[in-house]
Amino acid sequence: MLASLNARALVLSLVLLAVFLGLWEAASSKQQLAGELTEYELLMGGAEPKAAVPPPSDVIAKAWEELSNPFYDAGPNDKGIGIQIGYSLYRVLSGYFLAAAIAIPVGFLIGMSPLMYKALDPFIQVLRPISPLAWMPLALFVIQDSQASAIFVIFICSIWPMLINTAFGVAGVRKDWVNVARTHELGPLKTAWIVILPAAAPTILTGMRISIGIAWLVIVAAEMLVGGTGIGYYVWNEWNNLDLTSVVFSILMIGVVGMLLDTAFAYCARLVQYQE
């Protein structure tokens, strides 16, 4: 039954994709025809051709060109899409795992200690709503390095979902399980490792999954600001070159990489799920 449902959903998705691409191609072709200049206009120089959204055929051709050699390096402003995505992933994962190294232990502490929760909650509620990009000017001034500043912004945006979900998951562990650990005379660290961590793991992974999605969103905007390398810089640079085909292609690549990251964490979350 489930396999049949998945097969029908896949067929429906492909049909919708084909319809969307067909409408997009037709609309782009009509726009190009409307924007063509007459012979008189060309002779008189009285009009200029206007930029238009490229059709899917142009985007597919661009994707083939870029993906056939994704790691070329022809200078500071001419690098392959694979290199640009690699720079972005390096920044995202560096800031993300640094945030995880702090958020998960602190989340455990908050979840297991009502006193620490009440003491730290005001700071969390003040810092959490601040846009990550608002930290960028301060980071650039203090750190004075664009790459380290981008990693810091990823750290800031990643820490809160993991911290809050970890604290929520730890605090929600059934008291019966903790009491059983006490009857076996397990210490706090052993109880946290053997009892609380497995029970809270699904909630913790959910927070990590949310964080990686936010981090991938933020890195694109951060790289547009700091420039140099990365998929965000690639989008901005192609826009400055008025190459809309490359812009659309890079937007699609951002979506594909984001989907792959989310799928990886969704798979990890399924591995730690349990039935009571």
Side-chain angles (χ1 to χ4, degrees), residues 92-106 151-152 154-163 211:
V92 166
L93 296 179
S94 297
Y96 178 83
F97 285 117
L98 180 60
I102 295 175
I104 294 176
V106 174
I151 292 173
F152 173 77
I154 296 301
F155 166 80
I156 286 293
C157 76
S158 300
I159 196 169
W160 306 119
M162 284 190 278
L163 177 64
S211 288

Side-chain angles (χ1 to χ4, degrees), residues 85-103 145-159 162 208 211-212 215-216 219 223 261 265:
I85 291 175
Y87 277 111
S88 296
L89 286 175
Y90 167 74
R91 293 172 183 137
V92 166
L93 296 179
S94 297
Y96 178 83
F97 285 117
L98 180 60
I102 295 175
D145 182 83
S146 60
Q147 177 150 292
S149 298
I151 292 173
F152 173 77
V153 169
I154 296 301
F155 166 80
I156 286 293
C157 76
S158 300
I159 196 169
M162 284 190 278
M208 296 178 73
S211 288
I212 197 67
W216 187 245
I219 193 60
E223 288 172 344
L261 290 172
F265 277 87

Side-chain angles (χ1 to χ4, degrees), residues 52-265:
V53 176
S57 55
D58 289 353
V59 177
I60 292 172
K62 182 65 179 180
W64 177 263
E65 176 189 343
E66 289 285 344
L67 296 177
S68 61
N69 185 20
F71 299 105
Y72 76 88
D73 187 350
N77 293 325
D78 191 10
K79 299 181 187 295
I81 191 69
I83 293 178
Q84 304 287 17
I85 291 175
Y87 277 111
S88 296
L89 286 175
Y90 167 74
R91 293 172 183 137
V92 166
L93 296 179
S94 297
Y96 178 83
F97 285 117
L98 180 60
I102 295 175
I104 294 176
V106 174
F108 260 85
L109 185 62
I110 293 173
M112 295 178 68
S113 172
L115 175 63
M116 291 302 299
Y117 172 78
K118 290 184 178 296
L120 295 176
D121 185 62
F123 298 98
I124 295 173
Q125 297 308 320
V126 169
L127 295 174
R128 183 173 60 88
I130 299 174
S131 170
L133 294 177
W135 293 95
M136 180 62 79
L138 182 62
L140 287 170
F141 177 77
V142 174
I143 301 174
Q144 297 185 358
D145 182 83
S146 60
Q147 177 150 292
S149 298
I151 292 173
F152 173 77
V153 169
I154 296 301
F155 166 80
I156 286 293
C157 76
S158 300
I159 196 169
W160 306 119
M162 284 190 278
L163 177 64
I164 293 169
N165 273 52
T166 300
F168 178 77
V170 169
V173 174
R174 290 174 55 177
K175 301 303 179 185
D176 295 344
W177 298 347
V178 178
N179 292 333
V180 169
R182 288 174 180 168
T183 60
H184 287 80
E185 299 182 351
L186 296 180
L189 290 178
K190 207 165 187 180
T191 300
W193 181 256
I194 296 177
V195 178
I196 297 177
L197 178 59
T203 307
I204 296 172
L205 261 295
T206 299
M208 296 178 73
R209 183 180 178 184
I210 295 171
S211 288
I212 197 67
I214 296 173
W216 187 245
L217 288 172
V218 169
I219 193 60
V220 175
E223 288 172 344
M224 287 183 178
L225 292 176
V226 300
T229 53
I231 188 66
Y233 172 72
Y234 180 90
V235 174
W236 192 247
N237 188 53
E238 295 304 328
W239 162 248
N240 289 330
N241 294 333
L242 296 180
D243 188 351
L244 292 182
T245 303
S246 295
V247 170
V248 174
F249 163 70
S250 58
I251 290 172
L252 293 176
M253 290 303 301
I254 291 169
V256 169
V257 174
M259 181 191 69
L260 293 176
L261 290 172
D262 184 76
T263 301
F265 277 87

